Amino acid sequence: MPTMHDVARRANVSLSTVSYAINGTRPISEETRQRIFAAMEELGYRPHALARGLASKRSRILALLFPTSERGMGTTDLEFIIGAADTARDLGYHLVLWTSDINDAVELRQLIQQGLVDGVVLMEVHLNDRRIAYLQEIDFPFSIIGRCADNTGLAYTDIDFEQTVRTAVQHLVELGHTDIAFINHAREVFDAGYGPAVRTTDAFQRITQELGIHSVIRFCHPTAQAGYTTFNALIDERPEITAIAAMNERCFPGMLQAIADRGWCVPDDISLISLVSSPDVAEMSMPPLATLAPPAAELGRLGVELLVQQLDGRPVSITERLLPCRLVLGGSTGERRAPTLNPPSQFSGVADPGL
Amino acid sequence: MPTMHDVARRANVSLSTVSYAINGTRPISEETRQRIFAAMEELGYRPHALARGLASKRSRILALLFPTSERGMGTTDLEFIIGAADTARDLGYHLVLWTSDINDAVELRQLIQQGLVDGVVLMEVHLNDRRIAYLQEIDFPFSIIGRCADNTGLAYTDIDFEQTVRTAVQHLVELGHTDIAFINHAREVFDAGYGPAVRTTDAFQRITQELGIHSVIRFCHPTAQAGYTTFNALIDERPEITAIAAMNERCFPGMLQAIADRGWCVPDDISLISLVSSPDVAEMSMPPLATLAPPAAELGRLGVELLVQQLDGRPVSITERLLPCRLVLGGSTGERRAPTLNPPSQFSGVADPGL
DNA sequence: CTGTTAGCGCTTTCAT
DNA sequence: ATGAAAGCGCTAACAG
């Protein structure tokens, strides 16, 4: 493997000149520059990443920190990761994956102290995340995909939940719906202050009130069984509901089952829309669910960009980047059903396939 | 940040002794060992990864190479990655993600020449993969998740498609099915020699023949529309079919739609089983699909283990690791329908929700 | 515009 | 059982 030394000799210049030529750290006469690059080409030379990192104190390696334990449905997370990896590469960085189940600042310290990475991108942060406090304390560059309780001064990117919920509700309102239910995450998750759950709930309440829409909010565990039960309880209690927006995609199969059991039809008898689930998943339902697709790849990209901006010493003017989800229609939303029958249906002769 | 030098001074030993103590490369008297580790503890010392890598010529960094462009099974791919990342960490390695859309050996060379990684794990390899030829040529350590045309001498791990198909077919046969269809990937994909498609097809043909089962094989694009069309064409032509095993999860929504349109019921009128899709996705259907769940995390783990074995100079005795998918029942398979009616159903009064 | 040289923090001969 | 010292391949003062 050729080294810088080899290149220097071949180009008849000193080693440092090669270095400066490569890094553009210092003006080089066009002629020698040519010679150097020619020599590099001929030798197939590539700078050694470790040596460069050691000498310059910049490894050009970033870490993506994501807890493998508390992950959701996957496909979205994968997009985060790929978006981040792609962007890192585009910006001349490497990306290492740190799967820490521990949200411990201790483990993070050990990793950082290895001097491997120039900065970290955090995912799945908690409202009061010790890791963040630690990173600030030691003044280590980082960015966040997600949000904390207090985000002042933090470089973060997140879903614009307000706008996302607004889009969903408006879509339903435009279809004539006036009684809309919101199926939330599980109560424990909400009570623990899980950001997406809290923010969407707030937004839903505010927006429905603003638009004069009757609303209900229900917690629901992320299982088909819970979806089934929750739906039935909801409709029994509030039969006037004609549309449901749900924050957890895993309750849909159960809800669809419950709907079928009643002999109802989507979207004729009830409209469904998923908040924040990927179109891929939404298409696994019948009919495909309308969804607000999270801008996962973009968030991954922004997470890295916000970090690299700091590393490159660029003034990080805007440190907050909120991206709305994109409405993807899928056939599960339609005009509000005629309020004549209550609850209405077309046929009731559908067999119960069991749950 | 404390360095080895600091530790040495604090422990009253030479720098090299600290190094030997850390690496266990040379016997150290118990007493000095204690002193050294105490000093490390007190200083909160961590060896510098880059310096260590540069000096030892082993970075303890691995690369996971996966083409972001190719068809992604989404959630399964994420599990690969996490499995690999977890394992790397457990074995004392870092894992960097290389998202190359180019299957070019050139780009791979550039990356390897940086000296950043000790070895690479390849995903989505092609039957005749230039990257593999290149890696062998320069004798660079690597392992594969997947398979090539010629795998002699390669360290690879893959799904045991033969066993997977066998499990699926046997399950259906045990339920009394004697006429089973296999929904394949798209013809282009098959013709291109895509391993999973080719292997499952071969296995399906062999196994059904072996068991004396009537079989049909159909290609299908990975869309709901294609699933709908393919299903209808299939059943019109071969109405005796009572069970379908499908290689592409994305055609299921369309098939389910077609089934509903006929007023059929799953699994009473027809059994469905998905080959190689994750239970998470399978549960998004109604009823949840029976599936053969890929051992994704294990494959990721094995990919890394096979690589690290080589790096640690351990004799890589077994270089081939085939893992079967795990049968996860979901309610979409049942006893073969009574052959009296043809085609039968329970109710036909189900409204057509449109596609 | 170019060259010389002192490290970066660690591993690893070669001594003792 | 321990130390001294020569690099690993590169960057970045410091000199001209």
Side-chain angles (χ1 to χ4, degrees), chain B residues 16-167:
Chain B
S16 60
T17 304
V18 177
S19 172
Y20 288 120
I22 289 173
N23 299 300
T25 317
R26 173 164 108 170
I28 304 281
S29 82
E30 186 51 28
E31 196 223 302
T32 42
R33 226 186 63 86
Q34 299 277 317
R35 276 215 318 283
I36 290 172
F37 278 86
M40 287 183 8
E41 186 73 30
E42 288 158 24
L43 294 171
Y45 169 80
R46 294 269 111 187
H48 187 106
L50 296 183
R52 194 209 276 256
L54 178 60
S56 68
K57 303 192 167 307
R58 295 198 53 191
S59 65
R60 299 209 138 249
I61 301 175
L62 273 25
L64 180 64
L65 205 64
F66 68 97
T68 149
S69 55
E70 316 248 335
R71 93 205 97 258
M73 315 196 245
T75 173
T76 298
D77 281 309
L78 179 61
E79 286 182 61
F80 280 148
I81 294 174
I82 293 186
D86 283 346
T87 308
R89 192 197 44 184
D90 292 346
L91 298 178
Y93 282 81
H94 290 281
L95 188 74
V96 316
L97 244 42
W98 282 349
T99 56
S100 72
D101 353 58
I102 307 170
N103 262 347
D104 209 340
V106 175
E107 198 187 0
L108 185 54
R109 201 194 82 219
Q110 314 231 31
L111 287 167
I112 287 178
Q113 287 218 17
Q114 297 194 120
L116 215 224
V117 304
D118 292 339
V120 304
V121 179
L122 264 45
M123 284 177 66
E124 304 276 354
V125 294
H126 295 285
L127 282 187
N128 288 295
D129 206 299
R130 299 224 205 81
R131 300 171 300 175
I132 291 176
Y134 171 69
L135 290 169
Q136 288 182 310
E137 188 184 305
I138 64 168
D139 199 32
F140 194 81
F142 69 102
S143 70
I144 305 174
I145 301 177
R147 265 182 281 179
C148 306
D150 179 14
N151 299 290
T152 52
L154 296 183
Y156 71 93
T157 180
D158 198 2
I159 291 173
D160 185 338
F161 290 105
E162 164 89 23
Q163 184 57 47
T164 298
V165 172
R166 186 175 297 279
T167 304

Side-chain angles (χ1 to χ4, degrees), chain A residues 201-273:
Chain A
T201 306
D202 289 354
F204 183 75
Q205 276 173 324
R206 191 173 335 110
I207 291 162
T208 48
Q209 193 165 338
E210 190 180 291
L211 298 176
I213 297 298
H214 302 138
S215 69
V216 210
I217 297 180
R218 285 292 144 86
F219 296 109
C220 183
H221 281 92
T223 65
Q225 180 61 58
Y228 188 88
T229 313
T230 303
F231 177 87
N232 281 328
L234 172 68
I235 295 302
D236 288 346
E237 210 175 302
R238 299 284 296 260
E240 72 276 17
I241 293 293
T242 60
I244 297 179
M247 194 46 198
N248 191 316
E249 57 197 20
R250 283 169 136 108
C251 64
F252 276 106
M255 297 210 296
L256 288 164
Q257 180 67 60
I259 289 166
D261 284 1
R262 287 176 184 249
W264 285 15
C265 208
V266 175
D268 296 344
D269 298 309
I270 191 147
S271 286
L272 300 177
I273 188 165

Side-chain angles (χ1 to χ4, degrees), chain B residues 27-328:
Chain B
I28 304 281
S29 82
E30 186 51 28
E31 196 223 302
T32 42
R33 226 186 63 86
Q34 299 277 317
R35 276 215 318 283
I36 290 172
F37 278 86
M40 287 183 8
E41 186 73 30
E42 288 158 24
L43 294 171
Y45 169 80
R46 294 269 111 187
H48 187 106
L50 296 183
R52 194 209 276 256
L54 178 60
S56 68
K57 303 192 167 307
R58 295 198 53 191
S59 65
R60 299 209 138 249
I61 301 175
L62 273 25
L64 180 64
L65 205 64
F66 68 97
T68 149
S69 55
E70 316 248 335
R71 93 205 97 258
M73 315 196 245
T75 173
T76 298
D77 281 309
L78 179 61
E79 286 182 61
F80 280 148
I81 294 174
I82 293 186
D86 283 346
T87 308
R89 192 197 44 184
D90 292 346
L91 298 178
Y93 282 81
H94 290 281
L95 188 74
V96 316
L97 244 42
W98 282 349
T99 56
S100 72
D101 353 58
I102 307 170
N103 262 347
D104 209 340
V106 175
E107 198 187 0
L108 185 54
R109 201 194 82 219
Q110 314 231 31
L111 287 167
I112 287 178
Q113 287 218 17
Q114 297 194 120
L116 215 224
V117 304
D118 292 339
V120 304
V121 179
L122 264 45
M123 284 177 66
E124 304 276 354
V125 294
H126 295 285
L127 282 187
N128 288 295
D129 206 299
R130 299 224 205 81
R131 300 171 300 175
I132 291 176
Y134 171 69
L135 290 169
Q136 288 182 310
E137 188 184 305
I138 64 168
D139 199 32
F140 194 81
F142 69 102
S143 70
I144 305 174
I145 301 177
R147 265 182 281 179
C148 306
D150 179 14
N151 299 290
T152 52
L154 296 183
Y156 71 93
T157 180
D158 198 2
I159 291 173
D160 185 338
F161 290 105
E162 164 89 23
Q163 184 57 47
T164 298
V165 172
R166 186 175 297 279
T167 304
V169 172
Q170 271 176 351
H171 171 62
L172 294 173
V173 168
E174 279 163 17
L175 290 167
H177 296 275
T178 53
D179 298 86
I180 305 177
F182 177 70
I183 305 294
N184 209 333
H185 279 276
R187 160 162 265 133
E188 307 86 279
V189 175
F190 181 86
D191 288 343
Y194 181 58
V198 175
R199 281 181 235 285
T200 47
T201 307
D202 289 354
F204 183 73
Q205 275 172 323
R206 191 174 335 110
I207 292 162
T208 48
Q209 192 165 340
E210 190 181 291
L211 298 175
I213 297 298
H214 301 139
S215 70
V216 209
I217 297 181
R218 285 292 144 88
F219 296 109
C220 183
H221 280 92
T223 65
Q225 181 60 57
Y228 189 88
T229 312
T230 303
F231 177 87
N232 281 328
L234 172 68
I235 296 301
D236 288 347
E237 209 173 304
R238 301 283 296 260
E240 71 276 16
I241 293 293
T242 59
I244 296 179
M247 194 47 196
N248 192 316
E249 58 196 21
R250 286 171 137 104
C251 65
F252 276 106
M255 298 210 296
L256 288 164
Q257 181 65 61
I259 289 167
D261 284 359
R262 288 178 183 248
W264 287 15
C265 208
V266 174
D268 296 343
D269 298 310
I270 191 146
S271 285
L272 300 177
I273 188 165
S274 176
L275 299 175
V276 193
S277 67
S278 98
D280 277 356
V281 171
E283 276 179 4
M284 288 303 290
S285 283
M286 189 176 75
L289 295 173
T291 184
L292 280 124
E298 289 85 345
L299 290 171
R301 185 169 59 71
L302 276 175
V304 168
E305 281 181 355
L306 284 170
L307 176 56
V308 170
Q309 262 173 39
Q310 302 173 51
L311 295 176
D312 290 359
R314 260 176 290 152
V316 187
S317 43
I318 304 157
T319 57
E320 175 192 88
R321 288 275 216 274
L322 295 184
L323 267 39
C325 292
R326 181 174 45 90
L327 177 62
V328 177

Side-chain angles (χ1 to χ4, degrees), chain A residues 57-65 93 95 98 108 111-113 115-123 131-145 153-156 303-314 316, chain B residues 1:
Chain A
K57 301 188 169 310
R58 294 197 54 191
S59 66
R60 300 209 135 249
I61 302 176
L62 272 26
L64 180 64
L65 206 65
Y93 282 81
L95 188 74
W98 283 348
L108 184 54
L111 287 168
I112 287 177
Q113 287 218 19
L116 216 225
V117 304
D118 292 339
V120 303
V121 179
L122 264 46
M123 285 177 65
R131 299 170 301 175
I132 291 176
Y134 171 68
L135 290 169
Q136 290 182 304
E137 189 183 306
I138 65 169
D139 198 33
F140 193 81
F142 69 102
S143 70
I144 306 174
I145 301 178
L154 296 182
Y156 71 94
V304 168
E305 280 181 357
L306 284 170
L307 176 55
V308 170
Q309 261 172 39
Q310 301 174 53
L311 295 177
D312 290 359
R314 260 176 288 153
V316 187
Chain B
M1 209 106 304

